[in-house]
Every structure is written in C-alpha cells, then in structure tokens.
Amino acid sequence: MQCPRDGATLEPKDYEANIEVDACPSCQGMFLDKGELEQIQATTEHDYSKALAEDVDPMHEAFAAANQELAGPARCPKCGAEMDMRPYGFGSQILIDVCPEDCGIWLDAGEIQALEKFFERSRASVRIPITWRIWSSLLGTFKKKP
C-alpha cells in the first residue's frame, strides 16, 4: 500500500499491544484497519500523564485541525476511494480521514498520540464499571472477523 500523503510504501509496524498498523516511514502517518483504533483505545501502554497534567491549548488544537483541512482528504491506501475527513468524537478537535468503504482510517503524524491523550482524558472523567469493561473485552474477543 502507498501513503496517501507522499506516495511512500507503507510498512507494517507493531504499534501498541502488538497491534500491527501500516506506517509511512517518511511522513509518520499511519493507516489503521477497521477496529484497530478501538483496540489501541482499549490499551494504555503509552504514558501520557505528564502531557495530560499540562493545560490543553485549544488554539493549538484548532490550528492543527485547520492545517489538516488545508491538506485535504486522503485517498484510502486499500481501495483508493477519497476518504471522509471528520472530527473524532465529541470535542476532540482531531480530524481523521475515514474510508467510505469501511476499510479503515488514516492518521497523519501526531494524531495517534493526540487521540491517545484524548482517550486518557475521557477515561479520567468517566469511570466505567469493571463488569462493563470485562464484558466489552469478552465481546471483542469473540466477535467474528470479516
């Protein structure tokens, strides 16, 4: 597969919890197959506690989102369709490129780290009962793969 930003060949890379993503060696972007972002969200391998202790700069986040909008939507490395550019979640200000054919998502450099910080902030503000988390992980384990 080719990088939708610079055309470099994407390389398989173990990111977190042995989740294999397709990473661009030059622009540092990555393509995540369907379901991989959710797997990354469920893990807490990287420690962002220092970054989370700092104040959030909404101007910096808005500037980063505006820069990505200027770059325009990416093309899906799998099917070639123009990806939909949309904000992830409520209030994250992180734009991700989503394949309309449901192949996966493209994250530009730094977006995976921004998403992981967002996930950790969300976890800190919302406590999900342990029984729900166990049930969710069991469902993910037994879910049929396409």
Side-chain angles (χ1 to χ4, degrees), residues 38 54 71 83 85 93 122 137 141:
E38 290 79 7
E54 298 172 5
M83 300 177 92
M85 190 182 296
Q93 293 193 17
S122 299
S137 66
T141 303

Side-chain angles (χ1 to χ4, degrees), residues 49-116:
S49 56
K50 286 182 183 177
L52 292 174
E54 298 172 5
D55 290 333
V56 176
D57 182 3
M59 290 301 289
H60 174 73
E61 289 180 357
F63 182 74
N67 274 340
Q68 185 181 357
E69 278 191 87
L70 288 175
R75 291 215 164 269
C76 178
K78 278 193 171 179
C79 71
E82 184 174 291
M83 300 177 92
D84 299 324
M85 190 182 296
R86 62 176 81 144
Y88 179 86
F90 298 105
S92 74
Q93 293 193 17
I94 303 165
L95 290 176
I96 61 173
D97 296 289
V98 180
C99 177
E101 302 299 323
D102 213 19
C103 295
I105 63 171
W106 174 259
L107 299 175
D108 291 305
E111 288 178 346
I112 188 66
Q113 292 82 7
L115 284 170
E116 287 188 292

Side-chain angles (χ1 to χ4, degrees), residues 1 10-16 18-24 29-33 36-37 40 107 112:
M1 290 190 297
L10 299 180
E11 299 174 351
K13 171 185 171 185
D14 281 343
Y15 181 70
E16 194 173 85
N18 294 325
I19 299 164
E20 187 176 281
V21 301
D22 299 296
C24 178
M30 63 176 61
F31 182 76
L32 304 177
D33 292 318
E36 288 178 338
L37 182 59
I40 291 170
L107 299 175
I112 188 66

Side-chain angles (χ1 to χ4, degrees), residues 128-141:
I128 300 173
I130 187 72
T131 53
W132 291 8
R133 288 185 294 191
I134 292 170
W135 178 250
S136 175
S137 66
L138 287 174
L139 285 177
T141 303

